[in-house]
């Protein structure tokens, strides 16, 4: 997307002030490429430098995380928490444990989170954190000691009214448990609302594990409905095989679609008859295994190493692994194979070239900040239940999630039309999210 000349100076400052952070630049570029039409309708936002302020995180925390592995050797990792924007509520966003984590990655995620959280209409600001710790191959004891050390530093920055983390890549229910346990121990407070994604017996909410994948699928269904069709009978490909991917596959199947491929960082599996979710869950959730094990149990399936999962023909694609996993070349291949909708389950999985190719080809494209917002929205529902010491049923919570996703879809769709870009959910999401955050910032004075 090209940046309007009125915003070029903002862009130059972001690039020079944040050197060596290409993912952060990419996320900012996409937003700056969308919001120029807002300046004409709302000159007060430009006058108050709302855009410049939104691009600068409120606070960035970097810390040492020392811990001891099972062999008695000392390990040192780096921890991050970027508290991006608290105009709408306490900082809210996940923690990612992956060797690729660095400040630029956390900043891109925190920036995206700010707009995403605004789109949910819930009272949550934006933040993100994590560590370059690699959980792969680590024992339960090592994971626990790492989480305890991480929280021993991070706890002082958290609080149910201040900053509320959750999971992301490499952080699920087990890690949230160890993190919450250490927070409780240090503070002597059973402050359930300080973290979300908790287990159901200790303050968690039903549907939170399923929420991101289910929500992205509800979003896909809404996009298809606008185009006069539905997921029923559609062939789908979902990349990844983690939290988001597994529950996207589950909901696609419940709505009558068929997911024929999924992946991990080593390769992808194809099962033309449809992925058998019970088998996948046993491998990934129960045994923490690899997708390659799937083909040992399903003879008809194949495992492909190298190549791209996006070469598998499908009508609906849901990239749900990681950033920049779907390139311009992948987009061409999907378009040639007749894709009609691409829905980002992950954060920024499609490169700018891929996004442009989809938009130019008239493919319905949903950016992650809109499509995967069901996870954080359900985190906000978990906070709501914690605050009222209540717990809701699965059916009620799923219904709330479905309504929230419908609301986000409609806001993106209508905003895109209003600002002269009908059908462009990227423009719709960026403008709707930007308006909500910047108008709150204006109301709160110079913050
Ligand atoms: P998980 O850790 O549960 O799963 C991640 C999956 O993506 C795994 O299959 C993993 O494969 C794969 N993956 C991770 N990094 C890479 C990489 N560099 N290259 C290829 N594959 C990779 O994470 P989630 O499912 O929670 O998160 C997936 C995406 O969804 C992320 O972008 C996250 O930010 C986003 N998201 C998550 C939400 C949540 O509630 N969890 C909410 C909204 C967005 P392997 O096991 O081989 O590493
Ligand atoms: O990217 C995301 O929205 C998440 N990882 C979930 C954040 C949350 O606070 O539930």
């Amino acid at each position: 997307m090209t940046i309007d000349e009125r915003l070029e100076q903002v862009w130059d400052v972001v690039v020079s002030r944040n050197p060596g952070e290409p993912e952060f630049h990419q996320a900012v570029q996409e937003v700056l490429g969308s919001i120029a039409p807002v300046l004409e309708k709302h000159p007060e936002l430009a006058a108050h430098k709302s855009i410049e302020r939104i691009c600068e995180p409120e606070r960035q925390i970097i810390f040492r995380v020392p811990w001891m592995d099972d062999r008695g050797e000392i390990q040192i990792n780096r921890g991050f928490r970027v508290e991006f924007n608290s105009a709408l509520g306490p900082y809210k966003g996940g923690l990612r444990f992956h060797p690729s984590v660095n400040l630029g990655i956390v900043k891109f995620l925190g920036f995206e989170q700010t707009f995403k959280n605004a789109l949910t209409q819930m009272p949550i600001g934006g933040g993100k954190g994590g560590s370059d710790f690699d959980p792969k191959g680590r024992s339960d004891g090592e994971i626990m000691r790492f989480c305890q050390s991480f929280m021993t530093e991070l706890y002082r920055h958290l609080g149910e009214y201040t900053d509320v983390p959750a999971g992301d890549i490499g952080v699920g229910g087990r890690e949230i448990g160890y993190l919450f346990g250490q927070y409780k121990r240090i503070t002597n407070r059973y402050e359930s609302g300080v973290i979300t994604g908790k287990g159901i017996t200790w303050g968690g909410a039903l549907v939170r594990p399923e929420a991101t994948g289910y929500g992205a699928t509800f979003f896909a269904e809404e996009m298809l409905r606008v185009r006069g069709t539905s997921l029923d009978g559609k062939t789908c490909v979902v990349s990844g095989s983690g939290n988001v991917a597994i529950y996207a596959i589950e909901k696609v199947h419940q709505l009558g679609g068929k997911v024929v491929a999924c992946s991990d960082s080593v390769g992808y599996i194809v099962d033309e008859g449809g992925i058998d979710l019970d088998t996948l869950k046993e491998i990934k959730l129960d045994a923490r295994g690899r997708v390659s094990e799937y083909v040992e149990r399903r003879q008809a399936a194949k495992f492909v190493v190298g190549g791209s999962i996006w070469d598998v023909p499908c009508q609906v694609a849901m990239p749900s692994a990681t950033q920049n996993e779907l390139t311009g070349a992948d987009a061409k291949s999907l378009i040639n194979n007749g894709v009609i909708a691409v829905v980002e389950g992950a954060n920024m999985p499609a490169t700018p070239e891929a996004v442009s190719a989809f938009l130019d080809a008239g493919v319905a494209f949903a950016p992650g900040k809109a499509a995967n917002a069901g996870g954080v929205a359900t985190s906000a529902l978990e906070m709501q239940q914690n605050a009222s010491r209540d717990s809701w049923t699965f059916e009620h919570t799923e219904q709330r999630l479905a309504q929230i996703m419908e609301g986000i879809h409609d806001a993106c769709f209508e905003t895109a039309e209003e600002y002269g870009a009908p059908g462009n959910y990227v423009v719709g999401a960026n403008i709707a999210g930007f308006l909500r955050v910047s108008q709150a910032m204006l109301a709160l004075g110079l913050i």
Side-chain angles (χ1 to χ4, degrees):
M1 289 217 189
T2 47
I3 294 178
D4 186 277
E5 57 184 20
R6 284 164 297 180
L7 293 170
E8 264 171 18
Q9 208 195 336
V10 182
W11 169 242
D12 290 343
V13 171
V14 168
V15 171
S16 63
R17 188 178 268 163
N18 303 281
E21 298 180 355
E23 293 85 3
F24 180 51
H25 300 168
Q26 185 182 332
V28 171
Q29 188 172 29
E30 189 209 87
V31 170
L32 294 184
S34 302
I35 59 174
V38 180
L39 302 180
E40 277 140 45
K41 276 200 185 175
H42 295 278
E44 75 282 5
L45 296 178
H48 285 85
K49 299 214 171 172
S50 306
I51 303 165
E52 290 88 331
R53 282 187 283 146
I54 280 183
C55 291
E56 182 65 17
E58 287 177 21
R59 193 175 293 115
Q60 305 179 51
I61 302 150
I62 305 182
F63 52 99
R64 178 169 68 207
V65 189
W67 58 283
M68 195 173 279
D69 70 18
D70 285 347
R71 293 174 306 162
E73 194 177 321
I74 290 171
Q75 301 283 342
I76 296 127
N77 285 99
R78 184 170 283 184
F80 302 90
R81 186 74 181 167
V82 173
E83 299 182 331
F84 224 103
N85 196 299
S86 62
L88 292 172
Y91 309 106
K92 181 84 196 88
L95 297 171
R96 176 177 292 190
F97 292 169
H98 192 274
S100 63
V101 167
N102 57 41
L103 184 61
I105 298 265
V106 178
K107 272 160 75 176
F108 117 66
L109 289 163
F111 182 78
E112 290 284 289
Q113 197 82 48
T114 301
F115 293 83
K116 181 193 304 190
N117 294 6
L119 287 171
T120 66
Q121 303 286 321
M122 317 285 284
I124 41 179
K128 200 83 185 192
S131 174
D132 57 4
F133 171 68
D134 186 357
K136 278 203 190 80
R138 292 294 177 190
S139 69
D140 266 3
E142 290 177 317
I143 300 282
M144 182 181 73
R145 290 195 296 281
F146 175 80
C147 289
Q148 290 178 337
S149 180
F150 185 87
M151 186 53 90
T152 300
E153 175 58 33
L154 189 64
Y155 88 95
R156 71 193 75 244
H157 303 288
L158 306 183
E160 64 174 314
Y161 299 111
T162 308
D163 186 349
V164 184
D168 194 81
I169 291 177
V171 178
R174 173 181 59 171
E175 292 74 19
I176 296 295
Y178 296 147
L179 291 163
F180 179 58
Q182 185 72 351
Y183 182 87
K184 185 180 80 61
R185 207 170 155 210
I186 296 172
T187 61
N188 196 30
R189 284 166 62 88
Y190 205 106
E191 192 184 331
S192 303
V194 76
I195 198 163
T196 60
K198 299 180 293 296
I200 199 67
T201 57
W202 40 277
L206 290 170
V207 189
R208 179 61 189 90
E210 294 86 353
T212 311
Y214 277 22
T217 311
F218 289 143
F219 200 99
E221 187 74 339
E222 282 303 304
M223 284 177 101
L224 292 170
R225 189 183 55 74
V226 168
R227 295 191 168 212
T229 181
S230 74
L231 277 165
D232 193 22
K234 298 282 186 304
T235 299
C236 308
V237 168
V238 178
S239 65
S241 52
N243 173 267
V244 179
I246 284 176
Y247 292 106
I249 296 171
E250 183 161 282
K251 188 49 76 179
V252 168
H253 286 177
Q254 286 173 11
L255 295 176
K258 182 173 72 170
V259 179
V260 295
C262 69
S263 62
D264 62 18
S265 55
V266 177
Y268 64 91
I269 53 167
V270 184
D271 190 342
E272 298 291 353
I275 301 281
D276 183 71
L277 198 59
D278 289 340
T279 304
L280 187 67
K281 279 184 176 177
E282 277 167 29
I283 293 166
K284 295 296 302 179
L285 300 182
D286 302 345
R288 296 183 186 276
R290 313 294 306 158
V291 285
S292 57
E293 294 164 38
Y294 183 91
V295 296
E296 292 157 22
R297 297 166 60 171
R298 294 268 295 183
Q299 303 304 327
K302 63 174 183 184
F303 179 58
V304 183
V305 182
S308 166
I309 188 173
W310 308 117
D311 291 338
V312 179
C314 64
Q315 293 154 297
V316 178
M318 299 180 73
S320 304
T322 195
Q323 64 274 356
N324 293 328
E325 54 158 310
L326 195 165
T327 64
D330 293 328
K332 278 199 195 113
S333 155
L334 282 164
I335 293 164
N336 288 340
N337 286 327
V339 77
I340 54 176
V342 177
V343 179
E344 292 191 325
N347 286 308
M348 210 170 73
T351 63
E353 297 72 32
V355 176
S356 296
F358 291 134
L359 295 177
D360 291 347
V363 171
F365 175 79
K369 61 171 76 77
N372 71 37
V376 75
T378 308
S379 279
L381 298 180
E382 181 174 333
M383 292 163 74
Q384 204 172 322
Q385 289 165 78
N386 292 151
S388 57
R389 302 188 187 282
D390 199 359
S391 50
W392 306 342
T393 62
F394 194 96
E395 291 69 27
H396 173 71
T397 318
E398 189 183 7
Q399 205 180 357
R400 291 284 304 265
L401 169 63
Q403 282 164 356
I404 291 167
M405 296 314 298
E406 214 179 294
I408 297 172
H409 171 275
D410 293 354
C412 296
F413 188 81
E414 285 157 20
T415 307
E417 283 209 311
E418 188 187 335
Y419 284 87
N424 187 328
Y425 290 84
V426 177
V427 167
N430 286 336
I431 293 183
F434 171 71
L435 279 173
R436 195 164 148 80
V437 180
S438 57
Q439 283 168 344
M441 287 174 75
L442 214 57
L444 299 184
L446 184 55
I447 56 168

